[in-house]
Amino acid sequence: MSRVGFVGLGTMGAPMAGHLVRHGFDVVVWNRTPEKADPVREQGAHLAEDLAEMGRECDVVMLCVNRTEDVAACIAAMTPHAKPGTLFVDHSTISPAGAREIHADLTSLGFSFLDAPITGGSMGAQKGTLTIFCGGRHEDYDRALPFLRAYAKRPEFVGEAGAGQMMKMANQIAVGGALMALCESLAFAEAAGLDLAQTRELLAGGAAGSWAFDNYGPKIIAKDWSPGFSVKNQRKDFGYCFEAAETVGAVLPGTEVVDQLLAELDAEGHGEWTTAALFEVLRRKSAG
Amino acid sequence: MSRVGFVGLGTMGAPMAGHLVRHGFDVVVWNRTPEKADPVREQGAHLAEDLAEMGRECDVVMLCVNRTEDVAACIAAMTPHAKPGTLFVDHSTISPAGAREIHADLTSLGFSFLDAPITGGSMGAQKGTLTIFCGGRHEDYDRALPFLRAYAKRPEFVGEAGAGQMMKMANQIAVGGALMALCESLAFAEAAGLDLAQTRELLAGGAAGSWAFDNYGPKIIAKDWSPGFSVKNQRKDFGYCFEAAETVGAVLPGTEVVDQLLAELDAEGHGEWTTAALFEVLRRKSAG
């Protein structure tokens, strides 16, 4: 059986690698902070000494790191040692243009690449119920599928190289807008003297209803700003959204408003708060 | 048994009045265009000759008209003829400040008033599954309840006079934001070359999911701009949202963006299109 590598054992990556082990794959892991590999090593994964070893040892390597440059750097450290035909699958949310560049570079070197950003949150990673938006060649998607099924309820092929990241951008635009709808509505309701819990519950059941109303609404009422999905990560993704929108000529007037408001939290050092704290920004702008 | 009146037999009012008849109430109706009363007359309602007769004949009168001034004018035409204690229940979406004024005026004249705007759309009116946000005195709400139950799955007391309209404003703010999230995301997806049907379906199942994704998403993909809820009516409601926000000191930066974009459709004579046509506005701003 082919060995599968997993680079990046953060909140998402660690449970994803764990699912690969539990599904019986021969798993090699690597993380910048090696201690984070302890739990998945105890489950049976092998910790690579460096990315060179990871490149040598694996036929398929998943990555779940942070920014475009992190993905590029990790891949550059593996390719000089990797076997021809090695498939790299990137689960990070990065720039679509960056993903296309990495795809072109790897293809020219005789390797394969899928951009495969994930949604479903830390809970989805733990439960193995993630959705994965896969861009690249369909044959590479087919090759990755047995591994992806270990942690995804819904791996989905969405188009050529970069399309996975474009789909993730479309998702983040809609997520940001739904957050704005929720927070602006509840901040207004509070200023108007309405009962917030009653407002959330009544509106959630009708044409205003959304995943955000169901999941972020209760956090807002409890004034619980623990992440969840952090302001910093949402803004990182928005940066890629704006870059991608410029590339394809789309306009994002709503996303711009959300980003400006979240920037206020970021500037105050609350980048680690949940994005639902957008409510706080709107609330204190109220005179009421 | 007390006679119940219904003023305003439009898309919402006509089926609501019909439900009152079907529930065995003795119903008197009035509409500016009398022909619109034909179907509900055939079901057994009595058509009042004028609002004076409506005032004389009924102990409880529902209204479902359009703007604040329409509600005020209809009530002013009834009160000189109405019995002391008559309860007026307004299902129109109007200004919260206007509703509070009408409440104060009617109370000083010895009448009762509930602001009771509805949500659930024309389908909800037809099926009798509306949600009603009721503001006023709780004893008036209790008095209205047997009638409201004829067409509402969920009549709900939300606070003192004007609170019903405030809740409706909170609802419209969230509805507008959810629409924006959907349209901005799909317009980006189209510019990015993604398959729109796949995008809608994938995003609807995750953290971006909403009633708008489920109900307006398919209309956008079909480029079907028939209402539904029209641009003109959404903008009418937004006007009351901005007025109410100023009253309570809330800020509505997201709603302002949605209103500005819908204003473009309105200016082009597309005020009767569904609000989902916001997608078109964003799409043509794209260079792609």
Side-chain angles (χ1 to χ4, degrees), chain A residues 251 253, chain B residues 183-184 187 261 278-286:
Chain A
V251 295
Chain B
C183 293
E184 188 161 301
L261 293 165
L278 174 62
F279 171 82
E280 271 298 309
V281 183
L282 289 163
R283 199 177 67 100
R284 69 191 183 198
K285 286 187 191 291
S286 300

Side-chain angles (χ1 to χ4, degrees), chain A residues 30-125:
Chain A
W30 186 84
N31 194 65
R32 207 172 36 186
T33 318
E35 295 73 41
K36 285 206 179 157
D38 289 348
V40 73
R41 284 177 73 188
E42 275 164 35
Q43 290 174 57
H46 166 70
L47 176 64
E49 210 157 290
D50 50 27
L51 285 169
E53 182 191 343
M54 176 72 87
R56 264 192 313 274
E57 290 294 320
C58 301
D59 305 290
V60 176
V61 180
M62 275 58 180
L63 297 102
C64 196
V65 293
N66 191 18
R67 307 187 61 94
T68 313
E69 53 270 29
D70 303 323
V71 177
C74 288
I75 287 178
M78 288 186 274
T79 46
H81 315 277
K83 285 168 264 184
T86 297
L87 170 61
F88 297 92
V89 178
D90 177 31
H91 291 311
S92 325
T93 295
I94 66 167
S95 146
R100 269 199 284 263
E101 244 174 75
I102 293 169
H103 179 90
D105 289 352
L106 287 176
T107 301
S108 74
L109 293 168
F111 301 112
S112 290
F113 182 70
L114 280 182
D115 52 301
I118 51 185
T119 66
S122 56
M123 197 59 81

